[in-house]
Amino acid sequence: MMKRDTLLRSLTLIAVALGSVEALAYSDDKEKEICRHPKVQEFTLPEYGDANKKEVAPEAEFTFVVSGWASPKKFKLDGKGIDIPFAVQSTETYHKVKAKLPAALTGHLVRINARIPAVLGCYSTVGWLIKVADKAAPVEAPKPAETIAPTSSATGAASAVQNAARSSSNATQAPEKVEPVQNIQDVK
């Protein structure tokens, strides 16, 4: 019996020792509390949804703003598995991301995904659903401006007199003769 009691006490002592070691283990939760997730805002393309069915032009340019505590060298931007090239303009308080939709996304419903890591390791993921139009909207060709050829003062005066003579002769001409139209009632 004594061996059994000794064995039971030894096992109890070992279990208590293992439990206290786990209780004293150090875990660094402070880094998770300190790390602020980057904020992403001011996306410039219209998002596609039930209330808004707007389409964007193919290869449209867009921007968005990310908080300053993000790490711009580690940003990732893609749509339908296609990497979207972008440029980042940084200031002390924010990063402005400028990008252009790839031609491969033309005519598709696309979710643009952005993965924005913070300097301290945590990250934010954000996405926007957009509808890219099939074809670019037709652009009206600019109308050529009418220009008046420069004239010298001597020839300009002569042409002005000729134009004035034409307009006065048109004003003195008698209007064309208009013949009356007969009504059906007048015909017998």
Side-chain angles (χ1 to χ4, degrees), residues 122-137:
C122 58
Y123 63 90
S124 291
T125 55
V126 67
W128 305 275
L129 184 65
I130 61 167
K131 172 80 169 141
V132 184
D134 286 332
K135 297 177 184 173

Side-chain angles (χ1 to χ4, degrees), residues 20-183:
S20 63
V21 169
E22 287 182 26
L24 296 175
Y26 177 74
S27 90
D28 188 17
D29 291 336
K30 290 186 178 184
E31 182 179 324
K32 293 178 185 174
E33 293 173 8
I34 293 173
C35 187
R36 294 189 302 178
H37 292 277
K39 293 182 181 178
V40 181
Q41 51 193 343
E42 298 180 24
F43 183 70
T44 57
L45 292 178
E47 291 189 61
Y48 189 81
D50 291 336
N52 182 14
K53 303 268 185 201
K54 289 184 181 178
E55 294 182 346
V56 299
E59 300 183 51
E61 293 184 359
F62 62 94
T63 61
F64 58 92
V65 177
V66 179
S67 54
W69 57 86
S71 180
K73 293 180 181 179
K74 297 180 181 178
F75 289 178
K76 292 186 180 179
L77 191 62
D78 70 83
K80 281 201 170 255
I82 299 170
D83 286 338
I84 299 174
F86 59 90
V88 178
Q89 292 177 339
S90 297
T91 68
E92 291 181 13
T93 56
Y94 67 90
H95 306 286
K96 186 172 187 177
V97 178
K98 291 183 179 183
K100 182 178 179 182
L101 293 174
L105 300 177
T106 301
H108 294 283
L109 192 61
V110 179
R111 179 174 172 84
I112 297 174
N113 297 307
R115 186 175 191 274
I116 312 294
V119 174
L120 296 176
C122 58
Y123 63 90
S124 291
T125 55
V126 67
W128 305 275
L129 184 65
I130 61 167
K131 172 80 169 141
V132 184
D134 286 332
K135 297 177 184 173
V139 177
E140 292 183 25
K143 296 179 182 177
E146 293 183 23
T147 58
I148 300 174
T151 58
S152 67
S153 60
T155 58
S159 64
V161 170
Q162 289 175 352
N163 288 339
R166 281 189 208 135
S167 63
S168 64
S169 66
N170 287 342
T172 58
Q173 290 179 347
E176 294 180 20
K177 186 176 181 183
V178 179
E179 297 198 18
V181 178
Q182 293 182 343
N183 269 340

Side-chain angles (χ1 to χ4, degrees), residues 7-30:
L7 183 62
L8 189 57
R9 285 183 186 172
S10 298
L11 288 175
T12 306
L13 183 62
I14 292 173
V16 169
L18 287 176
S20 63
V21 169
E22 287 182 26
L24 296 175
Y26 177 74
S27 90
D28 188 17
D29 291 336
K30 290 186 178 184

